């Protein structure tokens, strides 16, 4: 994703990332600060939450223990279950179509991928959302795992990356001024 497009999802992704960080704090060993051997499960949950926010404009509640939805947990464990994925897409399509009939119009930069594609072709929109949910989780989790491993082994590079990201992303002050 290009940086200019990443900014469009900043607020929603920030919420997912904060929940991810809280989850890490909750599951890591208090003395060593190491995460458990099954940490890839948490990474996959973070990835599905992230993809869902972009594809469906909705969090599934997979990172908060107290907020896990049964359907989302099934989706997580049975990602290949085609019909569950279609149910989320159909639900999002129905919600977006209902909002359109009610005259709800979001600025272009606040629309999900599904919402933008629905204007072009409903079948393409559905297939694209399904593809993002199915293929996006595995590839993103694998890539993210490699990146955080490299950053953990190279704290000096981590500091450089943080500095670069802080230059690009909006600050809390700028966000709160734009969205009272």
């Amino acid at each position: 994703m290009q940086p200019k497009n990443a900014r469009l999802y900043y607020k929603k992704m920030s919420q997912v990332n904060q929940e991810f960080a809280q989850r890490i704090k909750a599951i890591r060993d208090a003395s060593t600060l190491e995460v458990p051997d099954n940490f890839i499960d948490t990474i996959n949950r973070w990835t599905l939450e992230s993809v869902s926010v972009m594809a469906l404009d909705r969090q599934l509640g997979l990172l908060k223990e107290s907020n896990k939805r049964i359907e989302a947990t099934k989706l997580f464990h049975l990602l290949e279950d085609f019909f569950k994925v279609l149910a989320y897409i159909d639900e999002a399509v129905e919600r977006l179509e209902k909002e359109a009939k009610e005259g709800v119009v979001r600025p272009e930069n606040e629309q999900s991928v599904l919402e933008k594609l629905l204007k072009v072709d409903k079948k393409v929109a559905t297939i694209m959302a399904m593809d993002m949910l199915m293929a996006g989780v595995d590839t993103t989790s694998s890539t993210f795992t490699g990146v955080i491993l490299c950053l953990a082994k190279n704290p000096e590079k981590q500091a450089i990356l943080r500095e670069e990201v802080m230059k690009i992303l909006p600050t809390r002050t700028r966000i709160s001024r734009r969205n009272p």
Side-chain angles (χ1 to χ4, degrees), residues 86-153:
L86 276 181
Y88 284 110
I89 295 168
D90 290 342
E91 181 182 302
V93 168
E94 287 174 20
R95 178 179 43 82
L96 290 169
E97 287 175 342
K98 180 182 175 196
E99 288 176 0
K101 286 178 185 172
E102 293 171 350
V104 175
V105 179
R106 277 186 281 285
E108 179 84 14
N109 66 347
E110 293 181 14
Q111 296 175 10
S112 66
V113 172
L114 180 63
E115 188 171 3
K116 290 175 184 176
L117 288 175
L118 279 173
K119 296 174 190 172
V120 179
D121 185 291
K122 187 174 180 175
K123 285 184 181 180
V124 170
T126 301
I127 291 167
M128 185 63 183
M130 186 175 60
D131 189 50
M132 286 176 71
L133 288 170
M134 300 291 253
V137 173
D138 183 53
T139 56
T140 304
S141 290
S142 298
T143 303
F144 182 71
T145 301
V147 168
I148 61 171
L149 177 62
C150 289
L151 289 172
K153 288 184 173 186

Side-chain angles (χ1 to χ4, degrees), residues 1-159:
M1 184 176 287
Q2 296 177 350
K4 68 178 184 175
N5 292 333
R7 287 185 196 149
L8 302 176
Y9 301 100
Y10 175 76
K11 260 173 72 174
K12 294 172 185 176
M13 294 301 295
S14 180
Q15 176 64 35
V16 172
N17 292 336
Q18 287 174 15
E19 289 178 20
F20 180 63
Q22 291 301 316
R23 183 76 182 132
I24 291 170
K25 289 176 185 176
I27 64 171
R28 69 183 180 188
D29 184 283
S31 59
T32 66
L33 300 182
E34 290 186 13
V35 294
D37 290 340
N38 67 346
F39 185 59
I40 189 67
D41 180 73
T42 302
I43 291 173
N44 285 336
R45 288 173 183 274
W46 165 81
T47 304
L48 183 53
E49 285 288 8
S50 299
V51 171
S52 178
V53 164
M54 289 176 45
L56 304 177
D57 194 27
R58 174 183 176 188
Q59 279 188 252
L60 302 176
L62 293 168
L63 291 169
K64 288 185 171 183
E65 285 296 324
S66 62
N67 195 28
K68 286 186 185 172
R69 292 184 48 210
I70 294 170
E71 305 92 336
T73 303
K74 285 181 184 177
L75 175 62
F76 174 72
H77 290 296
L78 304 170
L79 206 53
E80 63 274 349
D81 186 343
F82 181 76
F83 296 107
K84 291 288 182 194
V85 174
L86 276 181
Y88 284 110
I89 295 168
D90 290 342
E91 181 182 302
V93 168
E94 287 174 20
R95 178 179 43 82
L96 290 169
E97 287 175 342
K98 180 182 175 196
E99 288 176 0
K101 286 178 185 172
E102 293 171 350
V104 175
V105 179
R106 277 186 281 285
E108 179 84 14
N109 66 347
E110 293 181 14
Q111 296 175 10
S112 66
V113 172
L114 180 63
E115 188 171 3
K116 290 175 184 176
L117 288 175
L118 279 173
K119 296 174 190 172
V120 179
D121 185 291
K122 187 174 180 175
K123 285 184 181 180
V124 170
T126 301
I127 291 167
M128 185 63 183
M130 186 175 60
D131 189 50
M132 286 176 71
L133 288 170
M134 300 291 253
V137 173
D138 183 53
T139 56
T140 304
S141 290
S142 298
T143 303
F144 182 71
T145 301
V147 168
I148 61 171
L149 177 62
C150 289
L151 289 172
K153 288 184 173 186
N154 298 284
E156 69 285 353
K157 303 296 186 207
Q158 187 179 129

